[in-house]
Amino acid sequence: MILSLLLFQLFATDLVFESRKLQFSNQKSLLVEVAESPDQRYRGLMHRTSLKDGHGMLFIFESPQRLNFWTKNTFIPLTIGYFDKERVLKETYDMEAQNLMAREQTPQNYPSQCHCQYALEVPQGWFKKNKIVIGSQFTLLRGSKK
């Protein structure tokens, strides 16, 4: 498992995530890596063992849809927030990390109940700690395309 993780990280350096500042309506902000392409969205935060507080990953989809995220090869406890096309938070779920040393993983699924266009993964508890509640809206800053 450790060897496969190291090999994956060695050969998976071709995917580059753009970093942008994301700010919520209550002025709380974080630095996010943006996953827009299918390859970027598939990779997400897989195979990482840490995520700094104040950092996250924003997944952008072409149109609103029911989203489904899982914790395959995800070794960081996360909270995911699902946002509609207006970037308004509709749902959050705490996601349990996989055990890096486990021979077999049993990833859980975290489906959205609404049709959403954005998903934001942050360190577990970040939304609560920063008072980001259902109905909060974000803006993507610095050269934001969407």
Side-chain angles (χ1 to χ4, degrees):
M1 176 73 164
I2 299 295
L3 179 59
S4 64
L5 176 61
L6 292 173
L7 288 173
F8 180 86
Q9 288 177 336
L10 179 65
F11 293 109
T13 57
D14 58 330
L15 269 185
V16 176
F17 295 93
E18 180 181 0
S19 292
R20 294 188 187 164
K21 185 177 180 182
L22 185 149
Q23 186 166 8
F24 284 94
S25 44
N26 70 355
Q27 303 306 307
K28 297 291 183 178
S29 63
L30 67 156
L31 187 63
V32 295
E33 293 176 74
V34 178
E36 291 184 274
S37 74
D39 287 343
Q40 289 173 325
R41 290 191 301 254
Y42 178 79
R43 172 86 54 77
L45 292 171
M46 282 185 183
H47 303 285
R48 299 194 194 181
T49 56
S50 65
L51 181 62
K52 292 180 184 177
D53 190 37
H55 289 245
M57 182 166 283
L58 179 66
F59 298 82
I60 301 175
F61 294 84
E62 291 78 18
S63 61
Q65 56 195 282
R66 292 201 186 231
L67 302 175
N68 189 22
F69 280 67
W70 65 348
T71 56
K72 180 179 180 184
N73 297 317
T74 304
F75 307 116
I76 309 165
L78 300 169
T79 301
I80 189 166
Y82 289 119
F83 296 80
D84 68 11
K85 67 180 180 177
E86 304 298 327
R87 300 174 316 281
V88 174
L89 181 60
K90 297 297 184 180
E91 310 167 36
T92 64
Y93 300 96
D94 285 340
M95 302 171 77
E96 296 307 317
Q98 294 295 299
N99 181 343
L100 183 62
M101 305 310 275
R103 183 174 291 241
E104 288 188 37
Q105 293 186 27
T106 54
Q108 288 185 272
N109 288 308
Y110 298 89
S112 69
Q113 300 304 306
C114 66
H115 285 79
C116 295
Q117 193 164 350
Y118 303 89
L120 176 61
E121 291 181 340
V122 293
Q124 198 169 87
W126 189 90
F127 286 106
K128 187 179 287 186
K129 182 174 94 174
N130 288 280
K131 298 180 175 52
I132 307 300
V133 297
I134 302 302
S136 296
Q137 186 175 32
F138 74 81
T139 303
L140 200 53
L141 305 174
R142 289 198 279 198
S144 170
K145 294 189 272 183
K146 305 236 179 206

